[in-house]
Amino acid sequence: TVEDIIARVNDQIITRSDFDRAQRELDDEARHRGATMQETSEAHKDLLRNLIDQQLWLSKGKEMGINGETELIQKLNEIRKQYNMETLEDLEKAAREQGVSFEDFKANIRNQIITQQVMRDQVGRRVQFTPGEVQRYFEQHKQDYSQPESVRLSEILVSAPAPAAGAQPDDPAALEAAKAKADDIEAKLHAGGDFSQLARTFSDGTTASEGGDMGQFKAGTLAKVLEDKTFPLKTGQYTEPIQTRQGFVIFKVLQHTPGGVPPLKDVQSQVEDAFYMSKMEPAIRAYLTKMREEAYVEVAPSYADTGASPKQIKPAYSAYTPPSSKKKKKVERTR
């Protein structure tokens, strides 16, 4: 089959089928993310650029002697374990059953590994910053880290025993017994008892096996009566027994996060990651432009490489000139 060649990158080619397959994958991912038509259209414009970028990374990896084979095996084994498969042959069979070419699957992973290694070596390790730069970045982007007030709660639930046959749902004796048990647990807490251990021993809630840990709750997500009792508390404090429809519950505040912008130390790693990426993206683009200028890149006339550099080497085409016919010399006959 003769393939239409869309681009040549050094000794590699990008064919029409490569382009069409990448576009299908892009559209599938866009649908999965719920991207707008405009976002998808913008991504289409950079599709050929991204395919050329990948070939440039792979060319550089080949030049550096990076083949990604060891890391590929490790990654395939991670995927195999994730899906509880015994062997790589089982993984290959599963891919085949889903209509996926296992060779293409491996090639995509290998290409990602090589790209990441080259990117880290040639760009990432050169991107450095100081604590002062991180501080300035945080000051400029504070609102990105603003958060609502929240509490992480743990509970000990003492459910009210079911009323006896014919008794009223609010059986005073049942409620009194539940209240007495909850008061006894509260007394144990005051005496220095461990909340999580008491939750494991006495709580009737579904969180008992986790020591009562219920997770994080933002302001406005709890019933008002519970929010009014828990949000004023500091980390480590607990409530008195609170009567609910399930019985009596004691809450402990495992962590109280005030609303607003947190101090830098509380979001240091997030800020550093964001600042690093803000420097990495232009550095990667600049490096790819440099690679384009040192490589042979030829794109078919009806396609556009949005990452092209004006300094790129342009393929030179010379017009065909047919050889001139030699005129025969006129020879005069002599008598």
Side-chain angles (χ1 to χ4, degrees):
T1 304
V2 177
E3 283 266 29
D4 288 336
I5 296 174
I6 289 176
R8 298 178 186 273
V9 184
N10 294 326
D11 59 347
Q12 298 298 312
I13 61 171
I14 297 171
T15 65
R16 179 58 190 258
S17 60
D18 294 331
F19 185 87
D20 290 345
R21 182 170 59 250
Q23 186 162 291
R24 285 194 299 272
E25 291 171 359
L26 187 154
D27 290 343
D28 289 343
E29 184 188 352
R31 277 192 296 271
H32 184 71
R33 287 188 296 108
T36 64
M37 288 184 66
Q38 183 177 352
E39 289 170 335
T40 305
S41 177
E42 288 298 318
H44 282 176
K45 290 179 184 176
D46 290 332
L47 180 57
L48 181 56
R49 180 200 73 176
N50 296 339
L51 291 173
I52 293 172
D53 287 351
Q54 184 180 61
Q55 288 302 332
L56 290 168
W57 290 121
L58 297 179
S59 290
K60 191 66 178 179
K62 184 178 178 181
E63 180 186 316
M64 295 169 65
I66 299 172
N67 58 33
E69 286 299 326
T70 304
E71 295 82 357
L72 172 63
I73 298 300
Q74 291 173 350
K75 184 64 178 177
L76 290 173
N77 273 316
E78 287 173 15
I79 297 170
R80 173 184 63 78
K81 291 174 184 175
Q82 182 182 345
Y83 290 97
N84 300 313
M85 296 179 182
E86 291 293 327
T87 65
L88 290 179
E89 286 73 21
D90 293 335
L91 180 62
E92 181 175 358
K93 182 181 176 184
R96 223 172 27 243
E97 288 172 352
Q98 293 182 26
V100 176
S101 163
F102 194 59
E103 289 306 312
D104 287 348
F105 178 68
K106 289 195 299 182
N108 285 337
I109 295 175
R110 184 189 293 108
N111 291 347
Q112 290 171 14
I113 290 168
I114 294 171
T115 296
Q116 289 165 4
Q117 286 189 11
V118 176
M119 194 182 295
R120 186 167 54 245
D121 183 82
Q122 297 295 303
V123 184
R125 64 187 179 88
R126 292 177 168 83
V127 174
Q128 299 176 346
F129 49 82
T130 65
E133 288 177 305
V134 174
Q135 180 70 49
R136 285 192 293 275
Y137 179 85
F138 177 63
E139 295 297 331
Q140 294 165 1
H141 298 83
K142 271 188 174 180
Q143 290 312 308
D144 294 347
Y145 301 93
S146 181
Q147 55 194 12
E149 185 180 8
S150 65
V151 290
R152 183 178 170 197
L153 297 177
S154 188
E155 67 171 351
I156 298 175
L157 172 66
V158 178
S159 58
Q168 295 299 316
D170 56 349
D171 182 355
L175 287 175
E176 190 61 36
K179 178 70 166 65
K181 182 179 177 181
D183 287 342
D184 183 56
I185 293 170
E186 184 186 17
K188 287 180 169 62
L189 289 169
H190 281 305
D194 180 78
F195 194 98
S196 62
Q197 189 56 53
L198 289 171
R200 288 187 175 89
T201 305
F202 296 108
S203 181
D204 298 319
T206 56
T207 60
S209 61
E210 287 82 38
D213 192 343
M214 300 172 67
Q216 200 87 4
F217 295 90
K218 294 178 182 178
T221 59
L222 281 172
K224 188 175 186 307
V225 64
L226 302 182
E227 188 167 302
D228 289 346
K229 294 285 188 180
T230 55
F231 271 72
L233 300 181
K234 297 177 181 178
T235 298
Q237 293 182 325
Y238 51 85
T239 68
E240 61 187 13
I242 304 168
Q243 186 175 354
T244 67
R245 283 179 296 180
Q246 287 78 33
F248 292 87
V249 63
I250 302 171
F251 290 110
K252 179 180 180 179
V253 176
L254 299 177
Q255 181 182 11
H256 190 154
T257 304
V261 178
L264 175 58
K265 63 182 178 61
D266 291 351
V267 288
Q268 183 88 27
S269 60
Q270 295 169 249
V271 176
E272 287 180 353
D273 288 347
F275 183 53
Y276 177 79
M277 288 310 299
S278 75
K279 295 191 73 173
M280 268 292 280
E281 288 173 9
I284 287 170
R285 196 72 256 154
Y287 186 75
L288 282 162
T289 299
K290 180 173 175 287
M291 282 202 289
R292 272 173 168 74
E293 292 168 359
E294 296 172 351
Y296 175 86
V297 179
E298 179 187 357
V299 176
S302 55
Y303 291 84
D305 171 18
T306 56
S309 165
K311 297 180 183 178
Q312 275 178 226
I313 300 170
K314 305 280 189 209
Y317 300 99
S318 57
Y320 172 74
T321 306
S324 57
S325 57
K326 294 182 179 179
K327 293 182 178 180
K328 293 182 180 179
K329 290 182 179 180
K330 189 175 179 181
V331 179
E332 291 185 2
R333 288 186 181 184
T334 56
R335 287 180 185 260

